[in-house]
Amino acid sequence: MDLISGKWTMTVINTLMSGKLRFKELERAIEGINTRMLVKTLKELESRKIVNRKAYATVPPTVEYSLTKKGMTLQPVIKEIQNWAINNL
């Protein structure tokens, strides 16, 4: 449970299930998160091998985030939690 704990962790993972996103796209897609919190959450997920970060040598720098294979295995778990919430809340 520690792997997916945190206020924004599930939201970031769920957002990245649709595919690769640049940092600003991810930030815009997650309503209510600030830049500092998104950076922190992404770093934690990257260190846990759930999120992959790919930086491109462009000006300005381009950074894309995507789920790793390990991160993609969370998809059925997150979907089941969402279904439970819809049915019980």
Side-chain angles (χ1 to χ4, degrees):
M1 289 305 290
D2 187 45
L3 274 175
I4 56 173
S5 66
K7 181 177 179 179
W8 297 104
T9 304
M10 294 284 277
T11 306
V12 170
I13 292 169
N14 192 45
T15 304
L16 286 172
M17 282 186 192
S18 60
K20 293 179 186 178
L21 289 173
R22 291 182 179 178
F23 182 84
K24 281 296 183 184
E25 292 171 330
L26 190 55
E27 189 174 35
R28 281 187 223 113
I30 302 173
E31 191 173 319
I33 195 168
N34 63 39
T35 303
R36 189 176 136 255
M37 205 61 213
L38 180 57
V39 168
K40 181 181 178 217
T41 303
L42 287 168
K43 282 184 180 182
E44 287 174 5
L45 290 171
E46 187 180 5
S47 72
R48 294 173 178 167
K49 308 278 192 257
I50 294 172
V51 168
N52 183 44
R53 178 184 188 272
K54 186 168 185 179
Y56 297 93
T58 59
V59 177
T62 302
V63 180
E64 286 183 341
Y65 292 91
S66 60
L67 292 177
T68 61
K69 285 185 180 184
K70 180 179 176 180
M72 289 302 288
T73 63
L74 288 169
Q75 188 168 5
V77 175
I78 291 173
K79 293 293 180 192
E80 201 56 42
I81 291 170
Q82 287 172 340
N83 290 335
W84 180 89
I86 289 167
N87 293 327
N88 293 289
L89 298 179

